[in-house]
Amino acid sequence: MRLILEGSGASRGMALGRARLEQPSRFLVDNTPLEQSEVADELLRIDQALAAARAELKGLRDKLDGPLAREVAEFIDAHGLMLEDPEFVEGLHDLISDGRYHASAALKMQRDRLVAVFEAMDDPYLRSRREDIEHVIGRVQGALNRESSVEERKLASRVGEILVSDTVAPSELVPLAEHGLLGFILTGGSTLSHSAILARSLRLPMVVGSHEALSHLQDGDLVLIDGDSGNVIAHPTAQDLASYRHWQRELAAQDKRRARLREADTRTVDGIDIHLHANAEMAADVARARSFGAAGIGLYRTEFLFLQRRDAPGEEEQFLAYRDLVLGMGGLPVTIRTLDLGADKADSAGLVLEDEPNPALGVRGVRLSLRIPQLMYTQLRAILRTTGYGPVRILVPMISAVEEITMVRRLVDECAMQLRAEGHQIAERFEIGAMIEVPAAAIALRSMIQHLDFVAIGTNDLVQYTLAVDRNNNELGDLYDPLHPAVLRLIAHTIAVCRRNKRPVTLCGEIAGDVYFTPMLIALGLTEFSMHPGLILEVREAVNTLHAGELRKLAAQLLRAGDRASIRAVMQRMRASMPTIMENADPAAAAH
Ligand code: PEP
Ligand code: MG
């Protein structure tokens, strides 16, 4: 029966496909049959995972003390007994060697069997013990996943599937997309997470905060997801399918209309040139940036090169990736951002980082790079080596104090000296810029600006840090507000300081590619934007209808407005000149 589940749209577009559920314990099941030659390895894997789970339980038991130690020990012992149970273990072995199931599939079958037995019990207490089964098997599954999650995800074909999960890591997105996955429904997640940013780059629709998805959907259900509204329709009707086809036709028509803008200038009706650069995370973004007429790469997020691997990439590997980016842009400017790991991105980067209670306020971005000098040297050398191939700028994330910039500049100078001594052809001078994403940097920009060649405003983080609202926590909803007066004033101040000091300033947060915000940003004096390449034509279409002079007259009103209602009223007046564009406003803006 048709069922609508609500969530928030995190990556636009619709997708129709079969639901593929992954429970939070990450049951990554490979259902392809094993070859005879793979059986021995798979038996070894399951035995190692069982041993690891037993060792974990023993470790837990050894640490017990305090008043409840005895009771807890009994639970742990019961779990341990299950892992020793010959019937359980032999059952797994039989499924692998006779049934030719992968370890993950065999484990899932054993789990399903045991859960069915417990669920059939009359005694409510015993019935509730199925939780123990989930925990024990989850532990074994965890041990299996640790060695093979990416491999298993890579192996399994995802053609025609929509992943339903609690979260998805940025590193998992690319292999999933390469294997034909169509979209994501996440019970958790956020529209501003790096996974959402990457999904937008990959043009994969994503719905986040769809709390009921895992409990209401089943594997194989036909689902239609709408990454604009955030709605998920399970078992769509003929009418739903008709609107899906209608959307596909509209999209094709819109693409055709906008294709005419590929070669066009981006200029307001009163003749102000606006430069639209592309954000890039992967090589494919370069081709798209070129084809949509980007003015350059305004933000290359290097951390994606570090994800999905066991060790950090070396200088040569980084150099080749950056050089290809520069070559690919054929002489247009490229801004390469140094590593911005920490917070939500560190886990799968092949770097061992200490767990932090508050990673967004911890060792992130430039703080991490300065603490691991070898990491920064390697990256800076790789970037500097590309300066012989085209115009390259170096952008430093998470700057909060001028000393960080002077330290980076010193390292750049040292690397440049070494490289020249080694005979590399590199530029004479290097442009170094700061991401303005920590409020302190925006507020103190005047005392920092002389040390900077350019500035990039990172509103994704600036909003989070100014308002103390976690960008990855969708539950905070409306509180994450790029139109908060404090945020508007910081953006306006940053642009004004840069203009006064003749420093180029770009805005590269998600709002740069959202036409809802375009008039407001032009009103504040912004002329350089950087966004997902796929949004360039839409923003160009919007800019070409706007009158910068008229908008600037409204800027003072906007900055004076102190509450949501009056800010939105000014926004409305600013947007009045672009009525057709509004229908296409980004879903993230729908909340504003
Ligand atoms: C930002 O914070 O706005 C930004 C562009 O950087 P990131 O999203 O990579 O943190
Ligand atoms: Mg940022």
Side-chain angles (χ1 to χ4, degrees):
M1 213 182 51
R2 183 177 190 267
L3 174 71
I4 298 197
L5 303 173
E6 287 178 4
S8 309
S11 176
R12 295 161 68 170
M14 294 177 105
L16 178 69
R18 282 170 283 114
R20 157 83 164 230
L21 268 62
E22 270 180 20
Q23 298 299 334
S25 59
R26 296 237 170 260
F27 239 109
L28 304 167
V29 177
D30 186 352
N31 281 319
T32 52
L34 286 173
E35 298 291 330
Q36 176 58 42
S37 58
E38 296 172 298
V39 166
D41 278 347
E42 212 58 11
L43 285 170
L44 188 67
R45 284 185 66 226
I46 194 71
D47 285 344
Q48 282 173 342
L50 287 166
R54 283 185 207 115
E56 274 177 32
L57 287 175
K58 183 172 178 313
L60 281 177
R61 200 184 191 291
D62 290 347
K63 279 193 211 133
L64 287 177
D65 61 22
L68 289 175
R70 209 166 55 85
E71 278 90 331
V72 178
E74 273 170 20
F75 274 111
I76 293 181
D77 288 343
H79 287 190
L81 278 178
M82 197 184 127
L83 291 177
E84 312 273 7
D85 178 44
E87 227 179 283
F88 174 69
V89 177
E90 275 160 27
L92 286 171
H93 286 171
D94 290 348
L95 284 166
I96 293 171
S97 44
D98 302 337
R100 301 279 171 87
Y101 288 100
H102 274 91
S104 57
L107 194 62
K108 183 170 186 301
M109 286 173 84
Q110 282 289 65
R111 179 194 73 163
D112 292 349
R113 277 182 200 166
L114 287 165
V115 164
V117 171
F118 274 82
E119 275 186 334
M121 288 178 178
D122 285 337
D123 183 326
Y125 173 76
L126 286 176
R127 227 178 18 243
S128 75
R129 290 295 94 216
R130 68 164 276 184
E131 251 184 52
D132 290 328
I133 309 276
E134 303 275 11
H135 285 156
V136 175
I137 294 202
R139 204 173 276 284
V140 183
Q141 181 65 25
L144 267 180
N145 285 353
R146 271 197 292 284
E147 48 164 344
S148 68
S149 68
V150 173
E151 277 71 14
E152 287 198 2
R153 280 180 187 237
K154 273 189 197 153
L155 277 176
S157 162
R158 296 306 182 106
V159 176
E161 288 184 353
I162 290 176
L163 183 73
V164 187
S165 184
D166 54 342
T167 56
V168 60
S171 57
E172 293 169 336
L173 257 77
V174 177
L176 287 169
E178 280 169 355
H179 284 74
L181 194 91
L182 296 174
F184 299 90
I185 306 170
L186 303 181
T187 54
S190 127
T191 56
L192 286 146
S193 66
H194 284 92
S195 296
I197 290 174
L198 205 51
R200 293 196 275 272
S201 254
L202 294 164
R203 302 184 89 177
L204 288 178
M206 178 185 275
V207 169
V208 299
S210 184
H211 302 295
E212 295 170 321
L214 275 171
S215 50
H216 285 56
L217 296 177
Q218 294 195 351
D219 264 332
D221 279 353
L222 188 67
V223 283
L224 177 61
I225 69 175
D226 181 345
D228 288 88
S229 67
N231 281 343
V232 173
I233 303 178
H235 314 293
T237 60
Q239 211 176 354
D240 294 321
L241 298 180
S243 40
Y244 173 60
R245 284 196 301 277
H246 176 72
W247 170 81
Q248 283 179 317
R249 282 193 298 273
E250 289 278 295
L251 189 69
Q254 194 185 59
D255 281 353
K256 210 162 144 192
R257 178 165 51 84
R258 291 201 178 129
R260 281 187 234 120
L261 291 165
R262 283 171 192 257
E263 311 283 324
D265 291 326
T266 315
R267 187 172 295 143
T268 61
V269 290
D270 54 336
I272 304 290
D273 280 317
I274 303 292
H275 304 280
L276 305 184
H277 299 260
N279 289 353
E281 281 99 41
M282 57 186 84
D285 291 327
V286 176
R288 290 171 58 214
R290 294 297 300 267
S291 81
F292 295 125
I297 297 291
L299 168 66
Y300 177 59
R301 291 180 164 104
T302 55
E303 47 280 3
F304 288 95
L305 203 67
F306 286 68
L307 299 177
Q308 234 186 290
R309 50 192 303 151
R310 289 175 211 271
D311 49 1
E315 177 181 323
E316 198 58 22
E317 184 179 346
Q318 290 189 53
F319 163 67
L320 292 175
Y322 306 153
R323 187 204 57 187
D324 288 352
L325 175 76
V326 176
L327 293 179
M329 288 309 287
L332 294 172
V334 170
T335 303
I336 302 179
R337 184 171 75 182
T338 59
L339 197 58
D340 187 11
L341 281 177
D344 54 340
K345 294 182 260 183
D347 45 356
S348 57
L351 289 168
V352 183
L353 301 183
E354 297 233 331
D355 272 354
E356 285 184 314
N358 215 342
L361 302 180
V363 183
R364 176 185 166 182
V366 69
R367 303 171 183 181
L368 176 76
S369 298
L370 290 174
R371 275 185 189 216
I372 314 182
Q374 199 47 50
L375 192 69
M376 182 136 224
Y377 272 120
T378 306
Q379 182 163 43
L380 288 176
R381 279 178 58 95
I383 298 175
L384 294 185
R385 282 173 60 190
T386 66
T387 59
Y389 296 82
V392 173
R393 309 192 300 181
I394 302 166
L395 178 60
V396 190
M398 278 295 281
I399 289 290
S400 60
V402 69
E403 289 77 11
E404 289 162 336
I405 281 290
T406 46
M407 278 195 267
V408 171
R409 203 172 276 280
R410 208 173 309 134
L411 290 177
V412 166
D413 290 344
E414 273 175 40
C415 290
M417 226 162 62
Q418 280 172 4
L419 287 167
R420 288 195 186 103
E422 290 165 22
H424 291 281
Q425 293 296 316
I426 56 173
E428 290 282 303
R429 211 189 153 272
F430 311 101
E431 289 186 44
I432 301 177
M435 291 283 294
I436 300 297
E437 50 189 350
V438 175
I443 295 165
L445 187 58
R446 264 196 227 118
S447 50
M448 205 184 279
I449 195 79
Q450 298 308 328
H451 299 267
L452 297 170
D453 296 305
F454 69 97
V455 159
I457 307 176
T459 41
N460 300 342
D461 281 311
L462 187 62
V463 175
Q464 126 161 305
Y465 294 127
T466 304
L467 304 179
V469 175
D470 181 353
R471 68 191 261 183
N472 293 318
N473 185 347
N474 216 39
E475 297 304 310
L476 296 168
D478 273 4
L479 286 179
Y480 187 97
D481 181 10
L483 290 176
H484 187 288
V487 176
L488 291 178
R489 283 173 211 178
L490 289 179
I491 297 175
H493 172 73
T494 304
I495 296 172
V497 173
C498 290
R499 284 171 72 101
R500 229 175 289 133
N501 289 277
K502 302 202 170 22
R503 295 294 194 280
V505 54
T506 315
L507 191 144
C508 56
E510 292 305 289
I511 64 170
D514 183 340
V515 290
Y516 177 83
F517 296 97
T518 312
M520 177 275 275
L521 294 171
I522 289 184
L524 297 182
L526 191 76
T527 55
E528 308 256 350
F529 294 61
S530 192
M531 63 197 70
H532 291 295
L535 297 168
I536 287 178
L537 297 183
E538 194 174 331
V539 175
R540 178 170 296 144
E541 191 176 35
V543 168
N544 292 355
T545 67
L546 295 172
H547 192 291
E550 293 300 319
L551 287 170
R552 284 184 192 171
K553 285 186 202 156
L554 293 169
Q557 270 186 40
L558 183 73
L559 296 174
R560 262 198 315 270
D563 58 74
R564 272 175 184 243
S566 26
I567 286 174
R568 271 136 187 94
V570 185
M571 285 290 283
Q572 200 53 43
R573 293 179 57 195
M574 288 183 171
R575 289 156 54 208
S577 63
M578 36 184 276
T580 52
I581 312 288
M582 286 325 301
E583 290 161 22
N584 304 326
D586 190 275
H592 304 293

